[in-house]
Amino acid sequence: MRSSAKQSDAAADSEPPSPRKAYQRLLRQRLLLGLAMLAALALLLLIALGSGSYQLGPSAVAAALVAGPSPADQEQRVAAQVIWSLRLPRVTAALLAGASLGLAGAVLQGLLRNPLASPFTLGISQGAALGATCAIVLFDAGALHAVGTEAMTLQAPMSVVGLALTGGLGAAALILLIGTLRGLTPEAVVLAGIALGAFASAATMIVQYFASDTQAAATLFWTFGDLGRAGWSEVAWLAAALVAIGGWPLRAAWRYNALAWGDDLARGLGVSVARQRLLGTAAAAALAAITTAFLGVIGFIGLIAPHLIRLLIGGDQRFLLPFSALAGALVLLAADTLTRLLIAPVMLPVGAVTALLGAPLLLVLLLRQRR
Amino acid sequence: MLEIDRLSFSYARGASSKAGRHGARGPACDRSADSAVGNGRPLLLEELSLSVASAELLAVLGPNGVGKSTLLKLIAGLLPCEQGRICVDATDVSALSRRERARRIAYLPQLTEIAPVTVFEAVLLGRLPHLGLQPSERDLAMVDTMICELGLASLSSRRVNLLSGGELQKVMIARALVQEPRLLLLDEPVNHLDLRNQIAVLRSIQGLTRAHALITLVVLHDLNLALRFADRFLLLGSRAAVTTGRMEALASEAVGAAYGIEVIRGEVGGLPVMVPVISAAREQVAW
């Protein structure tokens, strides 16, 4: 014991200076990774704003952004129109939705100690889909507008959004209720979520079965998550939700770190386990439900973003949570840009492309991981 | 000084982490229906009184399911203490806030989960009860010192899930110590460790208990390790048969009664040992 302590001291002299120095170096590396992700996001933003049927170079994009929505210069009018009315709301929605879903997934995976936890496994997305389907079919809320063959837009009046939000939050509330009754064990929460998701999917199918063709098409179209639905008012809602709700889990990151070691150990460190799990799960569920209500089902971001980050930096929630939000924004923005470019002028639904892009990425990282 | 005054409890199931793995982990401390004393369930322990001094290492002994883990959770404040009193340095544990309690009592449960973080991060978590939003220079310095003191310096940037069982247990002890506790509660810290690591970990615990004048309670299954490292023992048999005393006074009759097996206490090479009598055990332990 004594001699092994000496040996490790000697090793510490030759290799890393001290545990503390090594830790501080690690923190700097993580900060750099965060900055790199921000830089990548900025670059991707320029590309996303510039690409589409009306191509703009990075400098033109920058000029249009600087000039504002209604520039004096006549020549910039078209660019301003494209950037400020069409692409900027869409791109901002991608950033906010990606960040919300990435953060929600990271919080759920951490608090439930389950790598499969995500808005999908908890039935939140399915609940929102059921709500939207009910609005479209039972209350005849959404009408589908096909403009040529190119772009279909679902008129999303507030009733569709409202019922989708109710469905998503309702599913989350039910799960939290069940979880509380069962003493909030993580296993029970995940199982309840899977059961509830299956129930909501089945109910959606039954409602769709009795719908007219156009209604059924509209409900199906709704479930393809689509960032094109976002105007500035949707963006404002998403931003407000992320700012109001997202701050809570970020402040609790230390307690989430304790929870990763099991409930008893966390309690021994003074953490109120049931309270943290209830509030954190509720916050994540609300973020996911709001995003889904406005934009439709966008899968996989909530699952993949935290996994990417965990593979890169490990499990410290202080970094895992904000970086998962960043990664979610990156992946969703990249996927959305691809949907517009892949087989232009057809825009694929982004909900499909996220998994198309994300799954191989996750697989590559998993295979490269050294055990 | 840890003083336990006429403590009784009746948690038969659900309170132990082993039962908890299979769904019944309901935090009994959050559910009053579960924790009411005298709700028809037989008392597990009745009127236990005990005091442990600073720099003293107490071995908590007894067969499975007798309430050793529950006792530790009660002292750690994870379960409400409804009959009797538990005081650390004359302060009633139940009167403390969560955070204040965690500053005085470090509790190391049997590990069920391991987070994918580095050794330094794992130890730093022990500063949580003292922490603001960010760790201070002092927090980092303390973690640094403790990692070096336990001989973990070369591992400090390694992920804890890549460590051996003995190394991991030392990391957990380092974390408990940076909590700066008065009271250290360890639930089977040497389970699953090989002979060498059992000795290494217990020697660390013994040395740190004396160096930091801690009050240390360790749940042990190996009587011989208890004889070698502990100052005193608390032997839980059935609720009536609770004995306590200095290790030298641990009698084979009391141990035999508690475990329901005949044991002999003797000496090998001048060291105290306790061995079961196998032939008698075969009759007693009916499968």
Side-chain angles (χ1 to χ4, degrees), chain B residues 1-3 86-91 93 104-105 182-183 215:
Chain B
M1 175 82 94
L2 166 72
E3 287 163 295
I86 300 167
C87 295
V88 179
D89 293 336
T91 310
V93 170
R104 284 165 215 236
I105 305 172
R182 281 288 294 132
L183 184 58
I215 305 155

Side-chain angles (χ1 to χ4, degrees), chain B residues 180-240:
Chain B
E180 293 183 287
R182 281 288 294 132
L183 184 58
L184 183 59
L185 305 171
L186 308 166
D187 199 348
E188 303 189 21
V190 295
N191 262 21
H192 316 299
L193 297 189
D194 66 26
L195 194 58
R196 178 196 157 91
N197 276 315
Q198 287 180 353
I199 303 288
V201 165
L202 279 172
R203 191 180 281 173
S204 301
I205 293 169
Q206 187 186 42
L208 293 161
T209 300
R210 292 186 184 151
H212 299 262
L214 299 170
I215 305 155
T216 305
L217 272 64
V218 184
V219 174
L220 286 175
H221 277 308
D222 188 326
L223 295 167
N224 290 305
L225 287 174
L227 284 168
R228 292 292 298 281
F229 290 102
D231 301 307
R232 294 172 61 208
F233 70 88
L234 169 67
L235 175 64
L236 305 179
S238 63
R239 70 184 163 113

Side-chain angles (χ1 to χ4, degrees), chain A residues 77-321:
Chain A
R77 277 277 161 82
V78 184
Q81 176 74 19
V82 169
I83 294 285
W84 283 91
S85 311
L86 294 175
R87 288 188 193 156
L88 204 54
R90 182 187 185 112
V91 163
T92 318
L95 293 182
L96 293 168
S100 294
L101 292 172
L103 180 61
V107 169
L108 291 174
Q109 286 176 17
L111 285 180
L112 302 177
R113 284 197 294 268
N114 192 322
L116 296 177
S118 76
F120 238 93
T121 25
L122 285 192
I124 296 163
S125 307
Q126 295 91 323
L130 176 60
T133 303
C134 285
I136 292 166
V137 176
L138 302 182
F139 306 119
D140 211 13
L144 199 63
H145 292 255
V147 185
T149 54
E150 174 179 326
M152 292 206 294
T153 46
L154 179 71
Q155 295 296 344
M158 284 324 260
S159 62
V160 178
V161 171
L163 270 187
L165 191 59
T166 312
L169 289 177
L174 256 176
I175 285 160
L176 289 175
L177 189 71
I178 294 167
T180 311
L181 291 178
R182 289 284 286 113
L184 266 181
T185 78
E187 298 89 346
V189 172
V190 174
L191 269 177
I194 289 171
L196 212 59
F199 179 87
S201 297
T204 304
M205 262 187 255
I206 288 172
V207 175
Q208 279 172 338
Y209 187 78
F210 291 107
S212 70
D213 285 357
T214 47
Q215 282 174 334
T219 60
L220 184 67
F221 185 71
W222 185 90
T223 54
F224 299 153
D226 181 14
L227 293 162
R229 280 173 221 172
W232 282 116
S233 64
E234 283 83 0
V235 166
W237 277 104
L238 291 174
L242 185 58
V243 169
I245 301 169
W248 168 258
L250 290 181
R251 276 194 301 276
W254 268 110
R255 298 187 198 106
Y256 293 6
N257 275 341
L259 271 162
W261 289 88
D263 291 0
D264 280 342
L265 198 141
R267 285 195 192 100
L269 284 166
V271 176
S272 170
V273 170
R275 181 162 168 261
Q276 290 300 330
R277 192 166 285 137
L278 182 72
L279 288 176
T281 310
L287 278 177
I290 290 167
T291 308
T292 309
F294 282 113
L295 302 176
V297 178
I298 300 172
F300 218 60
I301 299 278
L303 189 70
I304 192 182
H307 279 291
L308 290 177
I309 298 301
R310 202 173 296 111
L311 288 171
L312 285 173
I313 66 157
D316 187 348
Q317 303 275 339
R318 285 184 300 156
F319 293 92
L320 186 64
L321 296 182

Side-chain angles (χ1 to χ4, degrees), chain A residues 1 8 18-20 22-24 30 113 183 254 258 260-261 264-265 267-270 272 274 313-316 318, chain B residues 25 27 73 78 98 102 113 115-116 120-121 124-125 128 131 133-134 137 140 144 151 156-157 159 172 175 179:
Chain A
M1 167 70 200
S8 56
S18 78
R20 180 187 174 181
Y23 176 66
Q24 281 163 338
R30 287 189 187 159
R113 284 197 294 268
W254 268 110
W261 289 88
D264 280 342
L265 198 141
R267 285 195 192 100
L269 284 166
S272 170
I313 66 157
D316 187 348
R318 285 184 300 156
Chain B
R25 180 190 287 189
K73 284 186 188 181
L78 268 65
R98 280 196 182 83
E113 316 280 342
F120 196 97
E121 289 170 315
L124 185 59
L125 187 59
L128 181 58
L131 219 54
L133 210 57
Q134 290 298 323
E137 285 295 304
L140 295 179
D144 190 281
S156 105
S157 297
R159 290 264 178 99
M172 303 311 286
R175 168 192 298 164
Q179 250 174 287

Side-chain angles (χ1 to χ4, degrees), chain B residues 162-176:
Chain B
L162 302 176
L163 299 181
S164 73
E167 290 162 345
L168 179 62
Q169 207 50 254
K170 280 191 200 169
V171 169
M172 303 311 286
I173 289 166
R175 168 192 298 164

